[in-house]
Every structure is written in structure tokens, then in C-alpha cells.
Amino acid sequence: GENVEQHPSTLSVQEGDSAVIKCTYSDSASNYFPWYKQELGKRPQLIIDIRSNVGEKKDQRIAVTLNKTAKHFSLHITETQPEDSAVYFCAARGGGGADGLTFGKGTHLIIQP
Amino acid sequence: GAVVSQHPSWVICKSGTSVKIECRSLDFQATTMFWYRQFPKQSLMLMATSNEGSKATYEQGVEKDKFLINHASLTLSTLTVTSAHPEDSSFYICSARTSGRNEQYFGPGTRLTVT
């Protein structure tokens, strides 16, 4: 089955700086890679996603890059703000008809004022 | 749009009893619903995938006779935890997806505590 590794587990950055979270996946047939933001005790919120036929996608301060050859994808947040503090999860949907998501272990992003 | 609700938001039950959790898509037809479990400070683990009108597909290591899933309509899926034990205490979250779309939208979760 699919295996997703996520790093770092904790990331502390100064407000206004950029944050980068990286994930790798094992199933070369995986075709969809979403990123979720989860605040304590709340539901995961989809913040951006990318399909396997695209290398990069951007939405305002958030961007995701995908390297299919290396099987890794990254989340980039620029101009970080205090409200960006949360746990971020990457996920991958495997190939072969698999429909559910395999999640990384999460990154606790802390924005220092 | 794409709102998913869950009920109850939290439940406490005694060991050996059964608990039913409902997941509803409020403004779209959920051809596929997923059930995840999340232990404190851990990631989400997929338990099962259900398509409307079909039997659920369970992930390896998830007991289908313990975690009964029913997806009887395009807007409702239920998860019943049978003969619950303290180790079943967790945050159970459903998500829903509509046909032809990749995005999964999550419900608010149900915190189950088994005493």
C-alpha cells in the first residue's frame, strides 16, 4: 500500500517568513495530493491540492510543488501570519483504484510573533 | 458548498455497548464516503471506504464485524462501533466525495470515549 512520509514534525518560523513542509510517497501510481490544515479539535480543512499531471499550483500565499520522478511534494507558505499556526497534513491517493487518502504524520507549524 | 456534518460530536459509552455515528453530506451527493480514525496528536488513518449501495471496503487490520458501515443513501453513511472497548476511544472523522471530483470534504468528527 501507499506510504507517506512528512517532515518536519514541528516547524517554528517568524511571522512574515516562509514555511516549507515536505512529503514523500511510495506508490508511483498515486495521482492526487491534497494538503489539509487542522486546528486543535477541529476537522481537517483542504487548503490546496495538486494532481499528478501538474508540477506546481499556487493560491495566494500557498503553493504546492510535485516532483513525480522523485516522488515528493512540498507545501510552501509565504508571508506567514499567526493564523497559519496549525497542524498541516499531506496526503496521497494511491493508484490501482484506491480511493482513500494516506496521510503523513503531520507538521505542527508555529508562527512566532 | 461541500458541507459535511457528523452526529454526535462526542459520545461517552460503557465498555461492551455499541455506538452509531452518522455522517451526512448537506449540499451535495456523496457517491463515496470514507471513515478515518485519529488518535490524540496523531495522523488520520483510513478505516474504510463506502460507495452508496455497496458494501464497504475495509483497510487491512480494521475488523469489519466490529466497525459496521452502512451507506444507504447519497447523503448518509453510518459507522457503528460494536462491543466498544476503551482502546476504541478515538476521534472518528468521515469525509465525502462526489463522483468525478478528487476533493474529499471532512466532517467535524466524533470524539468517542469508552469507559
Side-chain angles (χ1 to χ4, degrees):
Chain A
E2 176 66 278
N3 182 48
V4 177
E5 299 284 342
Q6 183 172 348
H7 298 281
S9 56
T10 303
L11 178 60
S12 181
V13 301
Q14 289 293 123
E15 182 178 351
D17 288 350
S18 295
V20 180
I21 303 170
K22 298 182 179 182
C23 289
T24 59
Y25 61 98
S26 61
D27 185 354
S28 57
S30 289
N31 53 25
Y32 174 65
F33 308 92
W35 285 88
Y36 288 88
K37 174 183 180 182
Q38 187 179 32
E39 297 177 6
L40 189 63
K42 297 189 176 181
R43 77 184 81 196
Q45 297 272 12
L46 178 67
I47 57 172
I48 196 166
D49 58 8
I50 192 167
R51 300 185 190 184
S52 58
N53 58 350
V54 177
E56 184 175 355
K57 184 177 178 180
K58 189 174 181 181
D59 182 5
Q60 299 183 344
R61 297 187 297 112
I62 297 173
V64 56
T65 58
L66 171 65
N67 183 325
K68 282 180 59 179
T69 303
K71 289 189 284 187
H72 68 69
F73 56 114
S74 301
L75 176 71
H76 305 252
I77 305 175
T78 59
E79 301 173 24
T80 53
Q81 301 168 2
E83 53 266 35
D84 294 332
S85 295
V87 178
Y88 290 79
F89 292 98
C90 64
R93 185 178 68 193
D99 220 4
L101 297 173
T102 300
F103 282 81
K105 292 190 182 299
T107 296
H108 185 192
L109 177 62
I110 302 166
I111 308 302
Q112 303 278 7
Chain B
V3 178
V4 178
S5 70
Q6 261 182 261
H7 179 80
S9 56
W10 60 270
V11 57
I12 301 173
C13 72
K14 292 187 176 180
S15 188
T17 61
S18 295
V19 174
K20 179 185 282 189
I21 302 169
E22 292 186 350
C23 177
R24 292 180 185 273
S25 58
L26 299 185
D27 53 0
F28 67 102
Q29 293 186 328
T31 48
T32 308
M33 285 185 165
F34 307 87
W35 288 95
Y36 295 84
R37 182 165 52 183
Q38 186 176 33
F39 292 108
K41 296 188 179 181
Q42 293 190 25
S43 188
L44 289 85
M45 297 294 293
L46 178 66
M47 299 176 66
T49 302
S50 73
N51 292 296
E52 185 263 339
S54 302
K55 288 185 178 180
T57 302
Y58 290 80
E59 294 299 300
Q60 194 171 9
V62 178
E63 300 175 56
K64 62 180 181 181
D65 294 330
K66 180 171 181 62
F67 298 99
L68 302 179
I69 292 172
N70 186 298
H71 190 167
S73 78
L74 285 171
T75 59
L76 173 65
S77 177
T78 60
L79 167 68
T80 301
V81 183
T82 63
S83 187
H85 289 99
E87 56 266 32
D88 297 325
S89 298
S90 188
F91 195 48
Y92 291 86
I93 313 179
C94 70
S95 71
R97 187 179 68 85
T98 195
S99 178
R101 300 295 301 268
N102 290 311
E103 300 87 346
Q104 287 187 29
Y105 296 97
F106 282 84
T110 296
R111 186 160 302 282
L112 170 63
T113 302
V114 185
T115 60

